[in-house]
Amino acid sequence: MGMKTKNRHMPLFAVCLLIMAMIASACSNNVKPNNENGDATATPAANEGAAFPRTVMSANGSVTIEKKPQKVALVHWGLMDELLTFELPSIGLALPFTAKQSSLDTEQYKPYAAKFGEIVFVGENTEVNLEALLDYEPDLILAGSITNEKITKELSQIAPTFYFDEEKTNVWADWPTVMTKMGEVLGQEQNAQKFIDGYAAKVEAAKQQLTGVEGTVAFVQVREKAVWLQGTDYIAHYYEPLGLKAPEAAQGKGGELTLEGLSVMNPDHLFLGYFNYTDTSLPALSDEWEKSEVWKKLKAAQQNQVYGLNGALALGFGPIGKTYGIEVITEALKSK
């Protein structure tokens, strides 16, 4: 289950012959290492598909993966979407929320979750349950160099661990780089590229359908006792790539929003990202706002251009949630 270093002793003559054969083979086939991802150090054979063992460079040094992983645990709570796009018999997940609040049972995630023979939860509410992780017995752990920094020692005692370099890559925004690296680690480079290309095609198709949208578009996250304006720094993927215009107040990071602040911003289109979308028995502050005269005077309200969506998905970090967001946004705005 762990990493192994194999020492093989060969006669000097045999060693020389082997080296010469390797050089001849490399020259005749013009093999070039794949270093497109900066810190990628997989061998050429590893980049061709399912060749194992393979050595990859993680944030904490090189990791040799002896066999194709069968049980993979992801302890970085923010990267679930990326892992769900791959083909594996069994995965263990540390969740951003509780298991009850998991998105895995939603219509958008079911096709991805159904592929796996087993899904085990090894953490909830961003905290890794080391006992559950140990019981799961993964043959590979995927972690973040910053997110999981405090438990590196414990992880190393459970299974070989690959760390995404969170100092070099903004894993919360740059999911294609995360997915590409994950594909390299799992021996599924083609699966990664297929999803990335498919996503790019969906974005382009959506942009073409939204060329007629006029005015500003605002996105807010709706909680029980607070509403948060989503700034362009956070949801840039819904603005320039789709050709949408953000209100001036949404430029930058955004922040907590009052009803009066929403009235001043007064967007032409307003998306409400509900975090009680799948359980409407839970309260949402905007329910109270919608009863007020201030709300009724909003341009978006008067023009019937207020739209609801699942905030846990569309306003999350992962590409599956973002794909859902693009679909909902396109459907809502394409005829405007």
Side-chain angles (χ1 to χ4, degrees):
M1 183 170 67
M3 293 179 289
K4 299 178 180 178
T5 301
K6 297 182 179 180
N7 295 315
R8 302 176 184 268
H9 299 283
M10 301 176 64
L12 180 59
F13 178 71
V15 172
C16 293
L17 288 177
L18 178 60
I19 293 174
M20 292 174 66
M22 292 172 64
I23 293 173
S25 176
C27 292
S28 63
N29 293 302
N30 193 29
V31 176
K32 298 180 180 180
N34 181 0
N35 287 319
E36 293 179 356
N37 298 317
D39 60 350
T41 59
T43 63
N47 284 320
E48 292 175 1
F52 286 90
R54 61 174 55 196
T55 299
V56 293
M57 182 63 69
S58 83
N60 290 24
S62 63
V63 178
T64 297
I65 307 169
E66 295 290 347
K67 298 180 180 180
K68 188 173 183 178
Q70 300 297 305
K71 297 182 69 176
V72 177
L74 175 66
V75 295
H76 190 305
W77 61 269
L79 306 182
M80 180 181 76
D81 276 25
E82 287 85 341
L83 184 60
L84 288 177
T85 65
F86 292 97
E87 303 288 339
L88 291 162
S90 174
I91 57 173
L93 299 174
L95 302 172
F97 305 111
T98 65
K100 185 179 179 180
Q101 296 172 305
S102 169
S103 301
L104 294 174
D105 289 331
T106 63
E107 179 183 346
Q108 291 74 29
Y109 280 79
K110 279 183 179 179
Y112 295 94
K115 297 183 305 178
F116 302 96
E118 177 184 44
I119 297 180
V120 176
F121 299 134
V122 296
E124 298 180 65
N125 289 324
T126 74
E127 292 294 326
V128 178
N129 184 329
L130 291 171
E131 184 177 352
L133 180 62
L134 183 63
D135 289 343
Y136 176 58
E137 297 184 331
D139 49 39
L140 176 68
I141 298 173
L142 303 176
S145 61
I146 296 175
T147 300
N148 305 115
E149 183 178 12
K150 294 180 180 180
I151 56 172
T152 55
K153 181 179 179 181
E154 290 83 353
L155 295 179
S156 67
Q157 294 172 343
I158 296 174
T161 304
F162 174 86
Y163 290 90
F164 294 97
D165 194 331
E166 295 182 90
E167 292 185 356
K168 291 184 178 179
T169 301
N170 179 358
V171 301
W172 308 104
D174 188 4
W175 65 263
T177 294
V178 172
M179 187 175 287
T180 298
K181 193 67 177 178
M182 199 175 285
E184 178 189 337
V185 173
L186 299 176
Q188 298 186 39
E189 292 90 339
Q190 292 183 350
N191 278 2
Q193 194 58 51
K194 181 179 179 181
F195 189 96
I196 292 169
D197 292 344
Y199 181 91
K202 289 178 181 178
V203 170
E204 183 58 32
K207 185 175 183 179
Q208 295 302 318
Q209 294 184 71
L210 299 178
T211 53
V213 176
E214 297 182 357
T216 59
V217 182
F219 299 86
V220 299
Q221 177 190 129
V222 180
R223 297 281 189 167
E224 178 183 352
K225 298 180 179 179
V227 172
W228 299 84
L229 175 63
Q230 306 297 281
T232 53
D233 288 354
Y234 183 65
I235 54 167
H237 48 280
Y238 291 149
Y239 282 115
E240 184 176 351
L242 300 183
L244 303 180
K245 181 181 179 181
E248 187 62 32
Q251 298 292 335
K253 295 182 179 180
E256 189 168 359
L257 187 67
T258 63
L259 178 56
E260 289 72 21
L262 177 59
S263 177
V264 172
M265 181 172 60
N266 205 13
D268 295 279
H269 303 271
L270 177 62
F271 283 90
L272 302 177
Y274 295 105
F275 271 69
N276 67 342
Y277 193 84
T278 57
D279 186 359
T280 54
S281 65
L282 300 173
L285 181 57
S286 61
D287 294 342
E288 294 299 318
W289 286 9
E290 292 178 23
K291 299 174 185 178
S292 71
E293 291 300 317
V294 174
W295 177 275
K296 295 174 183 177
K297 293 180 181 178
L298 293 174
K299 285 190 294 185
Q302 292 181 341
Q303 297 170 12
N304 195 30
Q305 294 178 164
V306 178
Y307 323 98
L309 48 74
N310 188 330
L313 272 63
L315 304 180
F317 305 108
I320 297 175
K322 290 175 180 177
T323 299
Y324 158 78
I326 289 171
E327 293 171 352
V328 173
I329 292 166
T330 304
E331 186 62 29
L333 298 179
K334 65 182 180 180
S335 61
K336 301 299 181 182

